[in-house]
């Protein structure tokens, strides 16, 4: 029942959001109700539920950390990838108020929630992160570069 209520609430949030998420800014804020973030979150939990795994909680403070990483990649402040992962995990654990496991997925080029989810689910290493039995929380950020190419950063954490 809890899963149904969570999914129904997310669908409601997604359907009520009228903001334009196709904006061309790279510093798009991952505020609560960001349709693309909420949609990826819903897809992740649907996938986890189908595998018999517990749902993860979307943490908006971790979204901020993921957004900064996505933005840094999109502006070429850092190379696409996992450079600085340890520092981001320290920040994410602090934002969560403690934590153990920290996992990160990145992606480039997918312009929809379905595309980025599909690419992670079809990659064994990324899928392992999606399906980790230990994770309790996640954060997600994305940004577009000046050519409209999307960069994605996702964190999974286990809270103590």
């Amino acid at each position: 029942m809890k899963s149904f209520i969570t999914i129904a609430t997310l669908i409601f949030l997604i359907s009520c959001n009228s903001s334009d998420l196709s904006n061309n800014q790279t510093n798009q804020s991952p505020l609560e109700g960001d349709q693309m973030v909420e949609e990826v979150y819903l897809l992740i939990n649907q996938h986890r539920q189908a595998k018999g795994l517990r749902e993860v909680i979307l943490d908006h403070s971790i979204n901020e950390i993921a957004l900064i990483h996505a933005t840094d990649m999109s502006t070429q402040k850092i190379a696409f990838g996992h450079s600085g992962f340890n520092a981001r995990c320290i920040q994410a654990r602090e934002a969560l108020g403690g934590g153990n496991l920290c996992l990160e997925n990145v992606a480039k080029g997918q312009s929809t929630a379905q595309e980025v989810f599909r690419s992670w689910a079809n990659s064994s290493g990324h899928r392992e992160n999606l399906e980790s039995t230990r994770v309790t929380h996640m954060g997600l950020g994305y940004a577009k570069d000046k050519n409209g190419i999307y960069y994605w950063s996702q964190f999974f954490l286990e809270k103590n």
Side-chain angles (χ1 to χ4, degrees):
M1 184 65 177
K2 180 181 174 188
S3 297
F4 174 77
I5 292 170
T6 301
I7 291 170
T9 302
L10 286 173
I11 291 170
F12 174 76
L13 287 172
I14 290 168
S15 66
C16 290
N17 184 2
S18 61
S19 66
D20 179 11
L21 294 174
S22 63
N23 106 38
N24 290 322
Q25 298 175 3
T26 57
N27 290 328
Q28 185 163 320
S29 175
L31 299 174
E32 292 183 44
D34 180 308
Q35 187 174 359
M36 195 117 69
V37 169
E38 297 288 344
E39 191 172 348
V40 172
Y41 172 64
L42 180 62
L43 291 167
I44 297 291
N45 274 330
Q46 287 173 341
H47 176 82
R48 289 179 61 83
Q49 193 171 35
K51 298 286 184 184
L53 302 168
R54 71 174 160 212
E55 294 181 8
V56 293
I57 298 165
L58 183 64
D59 186 281
H60 296 286
S61 60
I62 300 170
N63 286 359
E64 293 286 344
I65 297 162
L67 174 66
I68 291 167
H69 184 222
T71 302
D72 286 349
M73 290 187 295
S74 73
T75 59
Q76 299 181 358
K77 182 175 179 182
I78 62 169
F80 171 73
H82 300 284
S83 296
F85 169 73
N86 290 334
R88 286 189 299 279
C89 280
I90 290 168
Q91 290 176 320
R93 288 182 183 115
E94 288 174 0
L96 192 58
N100 294 320
L101 181 69
C102 180
L103 306 168
E104 179 182 64
N105 287 342
V106 295
K108 176 183 173 184
Q110 301 83 354
S111 60
T112 68
Q114 295 85 4
E115 287 176 5
V116 74
F117 170 76
R118 196 174 318 117
S119 71
W120 284 330
N122 289 332
S123 163
S124 61
H126 295 102
R127 187 175 53 253
E128 283 181 34
N129 292 346
L130 294 175
E131 296 175 357
S132 172
T133 59
R134 292 179 54 192
V135 299
T136 58
H137 293 74
M138 73 165 267
L140 177 72
Y142 63 94
K144 289 193 288 187
D145 70 10
K146 62 185 176 187
N147 298 314
I149 297 171
Y150 283 79
Y151 289 77
W152 299 84
S153 179
Q154 178 182 48
F155 290 96
F156 291 101
L157 287 102
E158 174 188 41
K159 186 168 182 173
N160 294 342

